Amino acid sequence: MIQNYIKIAWRTLRKQRSLTFINIFGLAVGMACCMLIMLYVLDELSYDQYNEKADRIYRIQSDIKFGGNDMHLATSPDPIGPTLKKDYPQVEQFVRLHQRGTWSVKRVGEPTSLRENNITFADSTLFDVFTLPLLSGDPKRALAEPNTVVISESAAKRHFGNQNPMGKPMVFDNNKTFTVSGVMRDMPRNSHFQSDFFLSMLNDNYTWGQWLSTNHHTYILLKLGSDPAIFAKNFDAVIEKYVGPQALQLVGTSMEQFRKAGNQFQFWMIPLTDIHLHSRQQIELAPNGDIQYVYIFSAIALFILLIACINFMNLATARSTNRAKEVGVRKVMGSERKQLIGQFMTESILTSVLAMLLALMLVGVALPGFSLIAGKEMNLSQLVSPYYVPLLLALPIVVGLLAGSYPAFFLSSFRPIAVLKGKINVSFKSVGLRSGLVVFQFMMSVVLIVGTIIVYRQITYIQTKNVGFNRDQVITINGVYAIGKQAETFKQEVLRLPGVISGSVSGYLPTPSNRDDTSFFAEGQTDLNKGVSMQQWGVDYDYVKTLGMQVVQGRDFSRNFGSDSSAILVNETAVKILGVKNPIGKQIWCPNDAQNKTRKTYTIIGVIKNFHFESLRRNIGALSLVLDANSGAASFRLSSTNVPVLMKEIEAKWKQIAPGQPFSYQFMDDSFDEMYRAEQRIGTIALTFSALAILIACLGLFGLAAFMAEQRTKEIGVRKVLGASVGSIIGLLSKDFLKLVLISIMIASPLAWYAMNKWLKDFAYKIDIEWWMFALAGALAVGIALLTVSYQSIKAALMNPVKSLRSE
């Protein structure tokens, strides 16, 4: 019986080739989109799952509200890990990571260094917590001694080639020598942090034991059977026992007074596997994903697949009159309804299987481009993963059943006597369902169009907004710390080049770079309501001028004032929080450290106009600039139109002063754009899938219009004989579809507004959602629908009425 079903289904598909093409191509595009998005979603959900103890690993995070700053940090104080293990038996192990960014690295004896990213100090317990297999070395001892480093397999090949790196010395940051004590496999790509070099934490140049500083990423491994929710209740006791005494010693305030002043200091923990998609903290080890986008793309995949299935259902029911006599004859010959349902479902599943084969080919073609857009390394081998194979096998069956169920039950319900007499009429119910399905298709298409418009408008707003400093024609030379005291010499040499306006040496930049948060108080003041938590950046005399910042009160740093070594510039937000009307000349102080209880006092000499130094998702926080030698990077403002030639001249100056050191630079506007790379990718992906959703919807509309015109052939002939014009007939055939599209726009608009308004809430600075965005999306939907339907309408209107009425 099944063989017979398949044979008849194949004959039917070959007989109705245009209908078969529309169904198979539409379903294939829908399935291909679904598979691509599933690859993306499964990749996002797989982060950190490679760790064998992932279900017991948690990261300690800090939430601090103080001095006008509301900080949500992925970091925590350095003593919290050892303290939790010592005081609470539920903690099996801990590990701290302290990422130090980019350093120059080379083998001892090599003349040239390489710039390596994500150099990380780690405790010797690293391999007890995370699953990072060593190819060489003992995981228990690899980082237990000072001056040891574990490198990745890729790093070993870069620096040692085919030689065995074990026991060989390497130079980091020009003056720090470490011995290779282990070689580990490359970290899996789907990890929330990456590092090719783990250095012993015993060498981390850091003042230990400070509970009021949050500079380390601390992970704890709970023992089997421990309840994380119950364990987390211990954090309040930890704060009272350890944080409180240091706060009292440093600023003379107890934790109770701290909280009564409206401030907050708390720890909490997040499961390791939730970090990538659910953590939205500051100071992450690497940019995270967002569970919101996983939900959005999953919904888009589902909607595109539904649109493709709706095409199949609509076209199958629209062709019902063509298959009515077949149903009647089969029933007269003794076929039962369940057999007819089986036949129609077989046709549907066969169509779906053929569509699946085409979809796999489309995925193979589209995957490299999609991976590039999504910023991921996805390949076809992932299609045969244990997670994906069941989905691949189930997809054509589910789609076939979903798309074919209603047509199968609808067609098998025809009465044989009525259909053989030619008295079959499509019921109002089926027409209403088809109309509803068309409305649903275009409703989802309009939602996607509106979403795409708003995402692109927000990205454009971010890229063109006045951020308070001038990032155009500014280049940043990375790794200037490598030349130490010669950084100023390099700066002066570059300033002599024609086309260079000004320059500054500082690792603190209003693009992703160094950050240092410090608490400040007005002189003689320890009232926590009068304090301000702000960034403190070490800069040089030419920093403000080079980056095009504005001093709105007072003056900039000047070499003419020797007292500027204890001077400070603050931004408008800091002045507002301090509550000082005339800040120039006022003194503020900050604590140096908890052990010595020392203070550093500064005199405010100027107020800088607020500028964005964090993502536009956040409000502008308090910030200060002080004169301090920080040679993390050098920035230069250029006026030359021949930038490539000028960059070669700057590189030549670098090689004269820093032979063997890698030369690396980046334009500041590119660095700024990197903060919004995720939004740009989302916009591109949304645009792509919106276009595909509309394409699939239009395929169904095209087929539906063709069959509607075919059913009304005689009506059109009569109207033409009675004098109807071609234009009136085109309007007659098009208006029904346009009504459905207009209804879909009315339904889609509030849904799109709600969804995009919720998305924009993540941005402190955002566009307004305006009426023209919905009007544009509606006009596009109407225009596309008209173009789709017009071909069939014009073809039907131009048909010779003699041919359509000949049988009458």
Side-chain angles (χ1 to χ4, degrees):
M1 181 65 73
I2 294 175
Q3 184 180 359
N4 187 51
Y5 284 162
I6 295 172
K7 186 184 293 184
I8 295 172
W10 178 249
R11 287 174 180 171
T12 303
L13 294 179
R14 291 187 60 189
K15 182 180 177 183
Q16 302 173 348
R17 294 188 179 183
S18 60
L19 175 66
T20 300
F21 170 78
I22 291 173
N23 279 334
I24 290 178
F25 185 72
L27 284 174
V29 173
M31 287 179 176
C33 292
C34 192
M35 284 190 281
L36 288 172
I37 293 175
M38 279 197 296
L39 277 173
Y40 175 88
V41 169
L42 288 175
D43 185 81
E44 287 287 282
L45 295 174
S46 70
Y47 269 69
D48 297 304
Q49 297 285 355
Y50 68 90
N51 288 286
E52 295 173 1
K53 305 169 186 174
D55 59 328
R56 295 190 285 133
I57 302 173
Y58 296 82
R59 186 174 73 188
I60 309 299
Q61 311 203 126
S62 311
D63 286 347
I64 303 170
K65 183 180 180 183
F66 171 69
N69 241 346
D70 195 356
M71 296 176 288
H72 303 279
L73 307 172
T75 51
S76 53
D78 71 87
I80 195 169
T83 300
L84 290 175
K85 187 184 179 187
K86 175 175 65 75
D87 291 357
Y88 298 97
Q90 299 98 313
V91 179
E92 180 178 322
Q93 195 52 276
F94 75 93
V95 64
R96 295 166 297 187
L97 302 179
H98 193 188
Q99 197 176 80
R100 301 307 292 267
T102 303
W103 278 1
S104 60
V105 180
K106 68 177 182 178
R107 293 166 49 188
V108 169
E110 283 289 316
T112 305
S113 298
L114 297 178
R115 286 182 60 77
E116 296 284 4
N117 299 319
N118 303 328
I119 306 294
T120 307
F121 285 94
D123 286 306
S124 60
T125 53
L126 173 70
F127 305 103
D128 296 332
V129 177
F130 295 111
T131 305
L132 299 171
L134 291 188
L135 302 174
S136 302
D138 180 2
K140 296 291 183 184
R141 303 293 307 162
L143 295 174
E145 300 294 330
N147 303 310
T148 53
V149 59
V150 173
I151 65 176
S152 70
E153 189 175 8
S154 295
K157 289 179 180 177
R158 283 197 299 274
H159 291 273
F160 295 94
N162 295 324
Q163 299 179 34
N164 181 6
M166 289 295 293
K168 293 182 179 175
M170 300 185 73
V171 179
F172 290 79
D173 199 23
N174 290 325
N175 57 7
K176 303 175 180 69
T177 302
F178 288 78
T179 301
V180 177
S181 58
V183 179
M184 66 178 187
R185 283 186 189 152
D186 289 345
M187 292 189 67
R189 179 183 52 81
N190 55 345
S191 172
H192 79 279
F193 70 95
Q194 293 288 329
S195 184
D196 283 331
F197 301 87
F198 287 107
L199 281 63
S200 173
M201 186 67 79
L202 298 174
N203 293 96
D204 193 9
N205 185 19
Y206 182 77
T207 304
W208 298 99
Q210 297 198 57
W211 281 93
L212 298 179
S213 294
T214 54
N215 290 301
H216 290 73
H217 293 82
T218 305
Y219 300 81
I220 59 171
L221 174 68
L222 295 183
K223 291 181 180 177
L224 284 169
S226 298
D227 188 326
I230 294 175
F231 175 77
K233 294 178 180 178
N234 295 310
F235 287 137
D236 288 341
V238 171
I239 291 171
E240 291 300 326
K241 184 176 180 180
Y242 296 101
V243 181
Q246 281 199 6
L248 186 63
Q249 181 185 13
L250 197 62
V251 293
T253 301
S254 68
M255 290 306 298
E256 184 179 358
Q257 291 172 313
F258 182 84
R259 293 192 183 98
K260 283 183 178 179
N263 301 303
Q264 176 186 340
F265 193 111
Q266 69 176 35
F267 301 127
W268 61 286
M269 59 189 198
I270 183 172
L272 176 68
T273 52
D274 283 355
I275 291 173
H276 178 66
L277 290 176
H278 296 273
S279 178
R280 309 187 76 171
Q281 304 292 97
Q282 298 162 266
I283 321 180
E284 289 284 355
L285 286 167
N288 281 338
D290 191 333
I291 191 64
Q292 185 180 27
Y293 293 138
V294 170
Y295 293 147
I296 290 171
F297 287 138
S298 299
I300 289 175
L302 178 61
F303 290 141
I304 289 177
L305 197 59
L306 285 175
I307 288 171
C309 292
I310 286 168
N311 281 351
F312 186 95
M313 296 167 67
N314 268 342
L315 295 175
T317 53
R319 295 281 296 183
S320 58
T321 52
N322 294 28
R323 302 201 65 177
K325 288 185 179 179
E326 176 192 342
V327 172
V329 171
R330 284 176 175 273
K331 283 194 171 183
V332 168
M333 298 298 292
S335 293
E336 297 180 6
R337 189 182 182 189
K338 64 180 181 180
Q339 293 174 315
L340 292 172
I341 291 173
Q343 176 63 56
F344 293 130
M345 291 299 291
T346 301
E347 291 178 18
S348 174
I349 293 173
L350 180 59
T351 302
S352 183
V353 169
L354 294 173
M356 184 68 175
L357 297 175
L358 178 58
L360 287 171
M361 289 188 281
L362 293 175
V363 168
V365 172
L367 190 56
F370 180 71
S371 298
L372 187 65
I373 293 171
K376 292 183 175 291
E377 298 175 12
M378 294 183 285
N379 53 67
L380 289 174
S381 63
Q382 292 174 264
L383 293 175
V384 293
S385 70
Y387 301 103
Y388 208 87
V389 169
L391 293 173
L392 281 181
L393 295 175
L395 187 60
I397 306 300
V398 172
V399 170
L401 293 174
L402 180 65
S405 56
Y406 177 73
F409 284 94
F410 175 71
L411 293 171
S412 64
S413 66
F414 289 162
R415 296 179 182 178
I417 297 175
V419 297
L420 291 175
K421 287 183 177 181
K423 295 180 179 179
I424 178 66
N425 288 312
V426 179
S427 67
F428 174 79
K429 181 179 178 181
S430 66
V431 173
L433 178 63
R434 278 207 304 276
S435 298
L437 294 175
V438 171
V439 167
F440 178 81
Q441 282 183 310
F442 274 88
M443 176 194 75
M444 293 317 308
S445 299
V446 171
V447 168
L448 290 174
I449 293 172
V450 171
T452 302
I453 291 171
I454 292 174
V455 168
Y456 269 94
R457 285 286 297 172
Q458 177 65 13
I459 292 171
T460 303
Y461 170 77
I462 288 169
Q463 292 173 334
T464 58
K465 186 182 187 302
N466 181 3
V467 291
F469 66 94
N470 186 0
R471 62 183 187 271
D472 295 332
Q473 288 289 90
V474 176
I475 62 157
T476 300
I477 312 298
N478 302 310
V480 178
Y481 63 84
I483 57 177
K485 294 180 180 179
Q486 290 184 294
E488 184 63 26
T489 304
F490 171 68
K491 170 186 165 183
Q492 296 303 326
E493 287 294 320
V494 173
L495 287 174
R496 291 191 181 97
L497 295 173
V500 179
I501 300 173
S502 62
S504 171
V505 177
S506 175
Y508 293 95
L509 298 168
T511 52
S513 61
N514 295 346
R515 294 292 182 263
D516 187 6
D517 195 77
T518 307
S519 299
F520 281 86
F521 298 86
E523 185 59 33
Q525 182 64 256
T526 58
D527 185 350
L528 294 177
N529 288 314
K530 302 294 183 181
V532 55
S533 175
M534 62 179 164
Q535 291 287 314
Q536 182 181 1
W537 293 5
V539 301
D540 64 8
Y541 288 100
D542 303 308
Y543 184 88
V544 172
K545 177 178 68 175
T546 300
L547 297 188
M549 297 171 181
Q550 298 179 45
V551 179
V552 293
Q553 290 185 56
R555 63 175 178 85
D556 191 6
F557 295 118
S558 172
R559 293 177 177 85
N560 298 325
F561 294 86
S563 59
D564 277 4
S565 59
S566 59
I568 191 169
L569 297 175
V570 296
N571 70 353
E572 293 169 311
T573 300
V575 173
K576 183 179 179 181
I577 297 172
L578 284 168
V580 181
K581 291 185 178 180
N582 299 304
I584 307 303
K586 296 289 192 300
Q587 290 189 322
I588 57 176
W589 65 273
C590 66
N592 266 3
D593 61 77
Q595 281 74 21
N596 300 321
K597 199 178 179 180
T598 57
R599 297 181 178 184
K600 174 69 175 176
T601 301
Y602 295 94
T603 301
I604 299 174
I605 63 167
V607 178
I608 316 165
K609 185 176 179 62
N610 277 347
F611 64 90
H612 291 276
F613 56 91
E614 298 285 1
S615 166
L616 265 71
R617 290 179 180 273
R618 304 181 186 277
N619 289 307
I620 297 175
L623 178 137
S624 64
L625 305 179
V626 297
L627 286 175
D628 190 19
N630 183 286
S631 56
S635 301
F636 297 96
R637 179 167 296 283
L638 311 180
S639 63
S640 173
T641 54
N642 197 349
V643 174
V645 172
L646 181 57
M647 291 312 303
K648 288 181 179 178
E649 293 175 345
I650 295 174
E651 184 176 3
K653 295 290 185 184
W654 174 267
K655 288 181 177 178
Q656 289 176 10
I657 295 173
Q661 293 298 327
F663 178 73
S664 171
Y665 72 91
Q666 192 171 21
F667 283 92
M668 188 167 283
D669 51 358
D670 291 337
S671 300
F672 183 82
D673 288 343
E674 279 182 7
M675 290 194 287
Y676 308 100
R677 200 72 73 203
E679 283 74 21
Q680 292 170 358
R681 288 185 182 127
I682 297 306
T684 305
I685 293 172
L687 176 63
T688 303
F689 287 116
S690 296
L692 290 172
I694 293 167
L695 170 66
I696 297 168
C698 288
L699 274 175
L701 199 62
F702 181 85
L704 204 56
F707 295 128
M708 293 300 100
E710 183 183 333
Q711 283 189 336
R712 301 180 73 172
T713 300
K714 289 187 173 66
E715 177 192 344
I716 293 168
V718 171
R719 287 180 178 274
K720 290 195 73 173
V721 168
L722 294 175
S725 65
V726 172
S728 65
I729 291 174
I730 293 172
L732 175 72
L733 295 174
S734 302
K735 69 178 183 181
D736 291 337
F737 291 108
L738 288 180
K739 286 179 183 176
L740 299 179
V741 174
L742 291 172
I743 292 170
S744 70
I745 293 169
M746 294 173 64
I747 297 172
S749 295
L751 292 176
W753 179 89
Y754 174 79
M756 297 315 297
N757 188 57
K758 190 173 181 180
W759 178 74
L760 286 171
K761 283 183 178 178
D762 286 341
F763 294 88
Y765 302 88
K766 53 184 177 287
I767 62 169
D768 293 323
I769 299 178
E770 301 179 62
W771 65 269
W772 66 263
M773 298 174 182
F774 301 95
L776 177 59
L780 285 172
V782 169
I784 292 167
L786 269 177
L787 286 173
T788 305
V789 174
S790 60
Y791 172 77
Q792 295 295 344
S793 300
I794 293 170
K795 181 181 176 182
L798 294 175
M799 186 182 293
N800 190 340
V802 175
K803 290 183 179 180
S804 58
L805 297 176
R806 184 176 295 164
S807 61
E808 300 297 317

